[in-house]
Amino acid sequence: MEDQEMYLKVKKVTDKFTESMYFLANEPSLALYRLQEHVRRSLPELVQHKTDMQGVEEQCQGAIYTVEYACSAVKSMSNSGAYFKNIEGLLRHAISIKDQMSSLQSRRAKRAPLPFQCWMVYSVNNGRKARSGSCEEKGSDGIRF
């Protein structure tokens, strides 16, 4: 019997001890302490991850801007075909006008001297009449072109 009594007393003491340990382990102030401990250990790592992510986000925003700018440039280049055709037409027109002017100039050179040459003859002769066939006098400036 004594063993049984002793067994009951030991069981009662261990149950009370377990209950006290359970209460202490789950006390609110102890729980807050454990939370504070956890935050103190994990917060620096979380801050580092956040700054890393912000850097990656900035790089991504820069890359997105670059890609969007490149896409708009490609679109505007594809739409510029009409402008290049217009430029090509204007260049062809300018070349044809230049050819016409060159041919007109060469015909003029064969027929009569250029206005500049007549002026030179007139000024070299100190206002006297130019030689026959080179320049003719007419009007107030004395030269007909």
Side-chain angles (χ1 to χ4, degrees), residues 64-81 83-84:
I64 288 169
Y65 175 77
T66 303
V67 168
E68 287 175 350
Y69 184 73
C71 287
S72 67
V74 168
K75 285 178 184 176
S76 66
M77 287 173 76
S78 65
N79 295 337
S80 65
Y83 297 113
F84 283 119

Side-chain angles (χ1 to χ4, degrees), residues 36-70:
Q36 179 186 12
E37 214 176 49
H38 172 71
V39 167
R40 191 175 292 159
R41 270 187 269 138
S42 61
L43 189 64
E45 186 178 337
L46 290 173
V47 168
Q48 183 62 40
H49 284 300
K50 182 180 178 183
T51 56
D52 292 345
M53 292 303 290
Q54 286 174 339
V56 169
E57 181 185 13
E58 289 175 8
Q59 289 176 347
C60 288
Q61 289 296 327
I64 288 169
Y65 175 77
T66 303
V67 168
E68 287 175 350
Y69 184 73

Side-chain angles (χ1 to χ4, degrees), residues 39-145:
V39 167
R40 191 175 292 159
R41 270 187 269 138
S42 61
L43 189 64
E45 186 178 337
L46 290 173
V47 168
Q48 183 62 40
H49 284 300
K50 182 180 178 183
T51 56
D52 292 345
M53 292 303 290
Q54 286 174 339
V56 169
E57 181 185 13
E58 289 175 8
Q59 289 176 347
C60 288
Q61 289 296 327
I64 288 169
Y65 175 77
T66 303
V67 168
E68 287 175 350
Y69 184 73
C71 287
S72 67
V74 168
K75 285 178 184 176
S76 66
M77 287 173 76
S78 65
N79 295 337
S80 65
Y83 297 113
F84 283 119
K85 287 180 183 177
N86 188 21
I87 291 169
E88 182 183 7
L90 291 172
L91 286 173
R92 288 181 192 273
H93 184 68
I95 290 171
S96 69
I97 288 175
K98 191 236 178 235
D99 289 343
Q100 288 174 1
M101 288 175 63
S102 295
S103 66
L104 184 63
Q105 224 172 21
S106 66
R107 277 189 267 148
R108 246 192 209 167
K110 291 177 186 175
R111 282 191 316 185
L114 294 173
F116 178 74
Q117 292 169 338
C118 291
W119 179 80
M120 289 297 292
V121 168
Y122 186 73
S123 57
V124 167
N125 291 335
N126 293 324
R128 290 179 300 205
K129 187 175 181 181
R131 287 184 227 137
S132 62
S134 61
C135 293
E136 302 174 19
E137 288 186 14
K138 181 178 182 177
S140 63
D141 61 354
I143 302 172
R144 186 179 93 197
F145 299 75

